[in-house]
Amino acid sequence: MAIENLERIVEDRESIVRKQFERALLSERLETAEESMVATSRAYLITRNGEYLERLAGAERDFSRSLGDLRARWSTPLARASLTRVSDLAKAYNAAQRQLVAEIPTNADFAEVGRRFEQEVVPKRRKLDDAIEAFSQIGDAELKTALDLSKATASKAALTSLAALLVAFIACCVLAWVLFRHLTTVYQRESAAVQAARRALLARDEILAVVAHDLRSPLNAIMLAGSLLQNGDDAGKKHGDRIVRVAARMADIIKSLLDAASIDAGRFSVTTEPVDVREIVREVTDAIDPLASSKSVHFEASVEAADIRVSADRGRIVQVLMNLVGNAVKFSFEGGAVRLSTKADGDFICFAVADTGPGLAPDHLPHVFDRFWKADAGMERGTGLGLYIAKGIVEAHGGTIQVESRFGEGAKFSFTLRRD
């Protein structure tokens, strides 16, 4: 009788744990469906390919189906309340992204699409992510409770059987060992499935890189056509100049998108060599002086000591400084000042760009290096990727980048590179 009771207890707890693992798997499928909705909606906004709308509808159906399955398998009040919140936030997110799809014109540029997506859709997605994460935590807590209860019950039954019969105790140990092995196998199998699903979700970022790459060929053709027009009469030259300028701007945006995608995927790399700091500063100065003069901004550059070299990818570091100094000049008031300086700090060289512009609000500072972030959401120019890419470049060199600012008193961006 003792052995039969023990077997029944173990079977009951094994059933509970199995159900909890099934629920955990459904939770991961819900997250996968949500990530699929995000990826396909972004792909449609970028490409305007109707096929992605069909995929979006399919992802929404998968999400609703997974949500329904979870409701059918979860009966605790806390879990049901959490699922209701997930459902409400999912409806709000889907409504926001479909409204954006309906309102954004087909000829909208990437910056406008990214800005509106970050403002109107991303906050709702974050709330949905938080709700799903909260639900997952509830599931994890209930799973842990079930496992603890199973272990406690099995231990109690084993002790009772030991007092009644030594054979029952041995049988209990055997059954406990079998149960542990079984649960370990199930857990490892489900964990492997979850990891595979998460790796698949990383492919969503590849969509952006593929689209940007495919735009290069037609853009090169446009630039070639503009160059041919520049060789014509005055009217043709005027139109050709405009076409080349716009195409060059588009090429910069595409390059930024590809750089951002490489950084996101962890594939961004640089090729370093010994570079004289003075040459880097001189190249930036030659490029910035005309811009600063046109805005009546005083620009000053200084190098602390001669013959200082850093191990760096020269083109990429010039790109970082052009972004920092260009932003400083752009946001400085007429008659303001921008200063680029370098300073040796042990084995590192610190580059600093300070301005007398309006500065940054305290709540903006944590987001300065975020992707698609802009201090002025109403700005039309720029993709909001410059500082994000600058941070990726500096970190690829093994350095760090930071910002200091007080609202109304200007800002100072600085980063470090290792000396050669």
Side-chain angles (χ1 to χ4, degrees), residues 193-317:
V194 169
Q195 292 299 323
R198 288 177 176 171
R199 286 194 297 271
L201 291 177
L202 293 177
R204 71 187 188 277
D205 290 334
E206 295 293 333
I207 296 175
L208 182 62
V210 170
V211 172
H213 182 272
D214 289 345
L215 286 175
R216 280 184 163 180
S217 294
L219 184 58
N220 289 335
I222 293 173
M223 295 186 71
L224 177 60
S227 299
L228 293 175
L229 284 174
Q230 287 179 316
N231 296 326
D233 55 22
D234 291 342
K237 186 177 185 300
K238 179 179 179 181
H239 291 303
D241 290 341
R242 183 178 303 168
I243 290 172
V244 170
R245 284 197 305 272
V246 173
R249 175 61 183 159
M250 290 178 65
D252 288 341
I253 292 174
I254 290 174
K255 183 177 182 296
S256 295
L257 290 172
L258 290 173
D259 285 345
S262 295
I263 293 171
D264 290 342
R267 298 193 304 266
F268 188 80
S269 62
V270 293
T271 302
T272 61
E273 61 180 349
V275 182
D276 193 320
V277 172
R278 291 173 299 179
E279 295 179 3
I280 296 175
V281 173
R282 186 181 302 113
E283 183 174 346
V284 174
T285 300
D286 292 342
I288 289 296
D289 272 338
L291 175 63
S293 298
S294 68
K295 290 202 63 178
S296 300
V297 172
H298 175 68
F299 174 62
E300 176 185 356
S302 63
V303 179
E304 182 182 59
D307 196 25
I308 297 180
R309 304 173 75 84
V310 291
S311 179
D313 186 323
R314 174 171 176 164
R316 288 298 190 178
I317 296 304

Side-chain angles (χ1 to χ4, degrees), residues 29-105:
R29 289 176 180 172
L30 184 70
E31 293 180 10
T32 300
E34 187 251 356
E35 294 288 353
S36 180
M37 289 192 299
V38 174
T40 51
S41 62
R42 281 184 175 176
Y44 174 75
L45 289 173
I46 295 172
T47 65
R48 293 314 172 94
N49 187 335
E51 180 182 354
Y52 287 113
L53 280 180
E54 296 178 4
R55 294 184 182 179
L56 176 59
E60 291 174 355
R61 288 193 297 271
D62 290 342
F63 186 89
S64 297
R65 186 161 47 250
S66 297
L67 197 60
D69 290 341
L70 283 169
R71 281 177 170 166
R73 287 170 170 79
W74 233 292
S75 58
T76 61
L78 185 60
R80 283 188 169 274
S82 181
L83 284 173
T84 298
R85 175 167 173 76
V86 170
S87 177
D88 293 340
L89 291 175
K91 291 177 182 177
Y93 170 76
N94 289 334
Q97 69 178 1
R98 287 199 172 275
Q99 181 178 354
L100 182 61
V101 168
E103 292 179 358
I104 290 291

Side-chain angles (χ1 to χ4, degrees), residues 89 92-93 95-96 119-129:
L89 291 175
Y93 170 76
Q119 285 185 343
E120 299 172 19
V121 179
V122 168
K124 291 181 173 57
R125 185 217 169 167
R126 288 173 180 163
K127 291 182 179 180
L128 178 57
D129 285 342

Side-chain angles (χ1 to χ4, degrees), residues 320-361:
V320 172
L321 287 173
M322 287 294 294
N323 180 271
L324 298 180
V325 179
N327 285 344
V329 172
K330 179 169 62 175
F331 291 107
S332 291
F333 304 113
E334 184 175 346
V338 175
R339 186 169 187 270
L340 165 60
S341 61
T342 66
K343 180 181 179 181
D345 183 11
D347 293 333
F348 294 87
I349 299 296
C350 179
F351 292 77
V353 177
D355 63 62
T356 58
L360 294 163

